[in-house]
Amino acid sequence: MRLWSMPAQMNNLSSWNHYNPVKVYCEQQCIERLYEIVLASEAGVFDQQGSILIVTTAGFTRRGITAAVKLQFKKFKTIVFDKVEVNPELDFLDASCDDLALEPIGAIIAVGGGSVIDTAKVLSVILNQGKKTPLAKIFREGESQSWQGSIPLVVIPTTAGTGSESTPFATVWDSVTHKKYSVIGDQLYPKAAVLDPFLTVTLPYEHTLYSGLDAISHALESLWNVSSTPVSKAFAVTALNNAVTALPAVLAKPECVESRMAMQMASFFAGVAISQTKTALAHAVSYPLTSHYGVPHGLACSFMLTNMIDMVLKRPEVRTYKELLLNVRGVLSGLNLQDRLKEYLSYSELLKLKSEMYHPERAKNFICAVADIEDLLTEY
């Protein structure tokens, strides 16, 4: 069965551009100095009147992180929105925007992983529009995305993988249609990102693993992308060099702050890379696995990366990165990803999703021609 066949050539590297306006601060134990850091960022966050909306999860509120952030901004009225859960749903986001529509919000601070940051991004653009339930109109009724500015946003990632702190995208899931959508636009870039490795030290093993796999997937998919540029390649390679050493180290020794920091930087750099190129085939394959079977995103987009590396290594334009790709392959091979995947669905169930694994925009970004997705799967 032929699903797609993509151009087997990379972009002309003599013509390219790059844009990423996120101001990043990387500092250990900075939560007590957050107010000072945000002011120093000159991000324009406090130029407006209004309340500060803190977007996070109930878990961070229970652990006292939300209170610590509020304390830093005691001069301002703060509103806490801690209802975020994994893989934010379209209807949840629209309802949340409707609930907050009357609040005069002048700035947003997001504390959490990719789902929290994506939620905050959606709130930042929709609450600035003053419209009701726009996501349903856009993704279910076909209205175009047109964002007129955004509420200034500062993000504090507590995982190391999604790279959402450095991208102009926000992921939206729709369990009604079993689809994944992207809210996109330069307005979704955060004003500033604060990387504090101490906020990731207590992250459980599987959360550390799957977020780390997401960062690796982003970097690889940017590196072997038809839209790659010298800048995106540099960020992707740096991300992979960090991750290939830091991910095994942090899985073996979770309390190692240096490894946690290296993974945060890998996540950020990979995010900068995909901001330019967007993701590719592995992410297209991942969406139905997560939507139908709840496969964690990092696992869903990485379980076939070793086979993709084998395919890409045959391409002459990646010879420069052969040693790095082989090192990444070695790390991935040691993580038993096929065994982890079969905890969620069987191989026969996986094959039944083949027709949903095609996403035109993502698939065409891959530098290799793929006749049948089954060619990249390993039976388990």
Side-chain angles (χ1 to χ4, degrees):
M1 175 177 148
R2 188 175 181 83
L3 291 181
W4 57 77
S5 181
M6 295 300 147
Q9 60 191 28
M10 300 187 77
N11 205 22
N12 181 0
L13 298 185
S14 65
S15 177
W16 57 273
N17 62 77
H18 184 82
Y19 175 73
N20 194 296
V22 182
K23 195 157 191 177
V24 59
Y25 289 83
C26 191
E27 182 175 336
Q28 297 182 16
Q29 293 182 307
C30 67
I31 198 70
E32 295 86 0
R33 293 201 323 107
L34 182 59
Y35 178 74
E36 177 185 343
I37 290 171
V38 171
L39 282 183
S41 74
E42 299 177 358
V45 173
F46 300 104
D47 292 346
Q48 302 182 30
Q49 298 294 319
S51 305
I52 294 177
L53 177 66
I54 301 173
V55 179
T56 189
T57 66
F60 281 107
T61 297
R62 287 194 299 271
R63 293 193 290 275
I65 301 298
T66 306
V69 174
K70 283 186 67 175
L71 185 62
Q72 289 288 298
F73 297 91
K74 58 187 177 183
K75 295 180 180 178
F76 299 83
K77 179 183 177 182
T78 55
I79 300 168
V80 173
F81 180 84
D82 60 1
K83 302 176 183 177
V84 182
E85 296 183 354
V86 176
N87 299 333
E89 283 276 337
L90 185 153
D91 288 328
F92 163 77
L93 291 169
D94 269 350
S96 299
C97 289
D98 290 348
D99 290 342
L100 292 166
L102 297 179
E103 296 286 351
I105 297 170
I108 300 176
I109 297 176
V111 184
S115 293
V116 167
I117 296 174
D118 284 354
T119 297
K121 287 180 172 182
V122 171
L123 293 174
S124 75
V125 292
I126 293 180
L127 292 177
N128 195 61
Q129 314 302 307
K131 294 181 180 179
K132 288 279 188 177
T133 60
L135 295 182
K137 292 178 181 177
I138 291 170
F139 296 121
R140 293 176 184 165
E141 300 175 22
E143 285 192 9
S144 61
Q145 293 192 46
S146 179
W147 309 114
Q148 304 301 315
S150 60
I151 298 172
L153 170 64
V154 174
V155 301
I156 308 163
T158 60
T159 61
T162 71
S164 188
E165 65 272 14
S166 56
T167 71
F169 321 122
T171 297
V172 174
W173 297 88
D174 188 354
S175 58
V176 175
T177 61
H178 287 291
K179 291 183 178 180
K180 172 264 179 192
Y181 301 108
S182 291
V183 180
I184 184 170
D186 286 351
Q187 297 87 346
L188 277 84
Y189 278 116
K191 291 290 186 182
V194 179
L195 307 183
D196 182 351
F198 277 90
L199 294 176
T200 70
V201 166
T202 58
L203 202 63
Y205 182 93
E206 288 198 345
H207 286 78
T208 300
L209 171 60
Y210 293 147
S211 58
L213 289 172
D214 196 18
I216 289 175
S217 180
H218 288 161
L220 287 173
E221 292 204 279
S222 182
L223 189 62
W224 58 48
N225 201 295
V226 297
S227 299
S228 64
T229 72
V231 176
S232 68
K233 283 175 174 288
F235 277 106
V237 168
T238 302
L240 290 173
N241 277 323
N242 274 11
V244 77
T245 300
L247 183 58
V250 80
L251 291 174
K253 192 176 180 182
E255 70 278 9
C256 179
V257 177
E258 290 76 15
S259 297
R260 293 285 186 180
M261 176 63 81
M263 282 308 303
Q264 278 200 320
M265 290 191 292
S267 174
F268 184 85
F269 293 149
V272 174
I274 62 167
S275 293
Q276 176 71 39
T277 63
K278 299 184 180 178
T279 53
L281 182 59
H283 270 68
V285 169
S286 76
Y287 302 143
L289 276 68
T290 299
S291 180
H292 288 284
Y293 291 97
V295 180
H297 175 67
L299 175 60
C301 64
S302 64
F303 74 96
M304 67 178 197
L305 287 178
T306 54
N307 292 340
M308 296 182 75
I309 290 173
D310 291 341
M311 175 179 283
V312 168
L313 282 173
K314 299 174 184 178
R315 305 274 312 174
E317 60 265 55
V318 299
R319 288 173 183 163
T320 305
Y321 313 109
K322 181 178 179 180
E323 183 178 353
L324 174 59
L325 290 174
L326 288 174
N327 288 339
V328 175
R329 193 191 190 289
V331 170
L332 294 172
S333 296
L335 293 173
N336 302 315
L337 300 185
Q338 304 296 329
D339 289 341
R340 290 179 174 275
L341 187 62
K342 70 182 180 183
E343 295 177 9
Y344 294 90
L345 75 167
S346 66
Y347 186 69
S348 61
E349 289 172 324
L350 177 67
L351 291 181
K352 290 178 181 178
L353 296 176
K354 284 203 306 179
S355 62
E356 296 184 45
M357 293 176 179
Y358 175 71
H359 185 292
E361 184 178 356
R362 296 292 176 263
K364 73 181 182 183
N365 287 341
F366 189 38
I367 64 172
C368 296
V370 178
D372 191 332
I373 190 61
E374 198 168 341
D375 295 340
L376 289 172
L377 303 179
T378 300
E379 187 171 359
Y380 55 87

